[in-house]
Amino acid sequence: MYNSIIPLKISKLATLVAQRKRIPISAALSYIYDSPFYEQIYDEEAKWWYLDTESLYRQIELARTMSSYIISDNVITFFTFCVERYAKKHDMTSLQSYALFRKYKIDNYLIEGFEVLHTQGEDTILQDIEVYLKNHSRK
């Protein structure tokens, strides 16, 4: 059954990608088929084909973003430290902190800025995250 649905989902997704990226539909199809997420769409247990077009688009973008990083253990440790310390400071769970970081792309900011940020003290790092959040939550 899902084998019949996926081509329909991909065609709608290609139209959305073409619109969002302002590229021809052929380039949009290449963008999708080349995505690290594409193979996962056929995973019967994950049931990705149940998602709407917008959600599939977000998953492809997320997969592309995450696959563009080669993340060292030090960066992962730093990122986890930031998630945990932010959660503790703001009396939230680590999962809530992580969700907030993902929502406002703080994860990308921390990973990309690791070389400078990890040399700062905890208070400075948390203050930097709060400034980033304040500036990006208004958009």
Side-chain angles (χ1 to χ4, degrees), residues 47-58:
K47 300 192 185 322
W48 289 108
W49 62 88
Y50 281 13
L51 294 179
D52 63 285
T53 307
E54 181 66 35
S55 297
L56 285 171
Y57 177 79
R58 284 194 304 268

Side-chain angles (χ1 to χ4, degrees), residues 3-53:
N3 286 328
S4 302
I5 295 170
I6 292 175
L8 297 171
K9 294 283 187 172
I10 297 299
S11 65
K12 289 181 180 183
L13 182 58
T15 301
L16 181 63
V17 169
Q19 290 170 347
R20 295 270 171 89
K21 302 286 184 190
R22 296 187 174 111
I23 57 177
I25 196 77
S26 58
L29 286 166
S30 294
Y31 188 83
I32 293 166
Y33 290 135
D34 189 45
S35 167
F37 177 71
Y38 176 73
E39 289 183 15
Q40 295 175 30
I41 292 174
Y42 280 94
D43 181 353
E44 280 189 76
E45 292 182 27
K47 300 192 185 322
W48 289 108
W49 62 88
Y50 281 13
L51 294 179
D52 63 285
T53 307

Side-chain angles (χ1 to χ4, degrees), residues 67-82:
S67 71
S68 67
Y69 294 114
I70 297 174
I71 303 174
S72 70
D73 288 344
N74 290 339
V75 174
I76 293 168
T77 301
F78 172 71
F79 176 73
T80 306
F81 168 82
C82 292

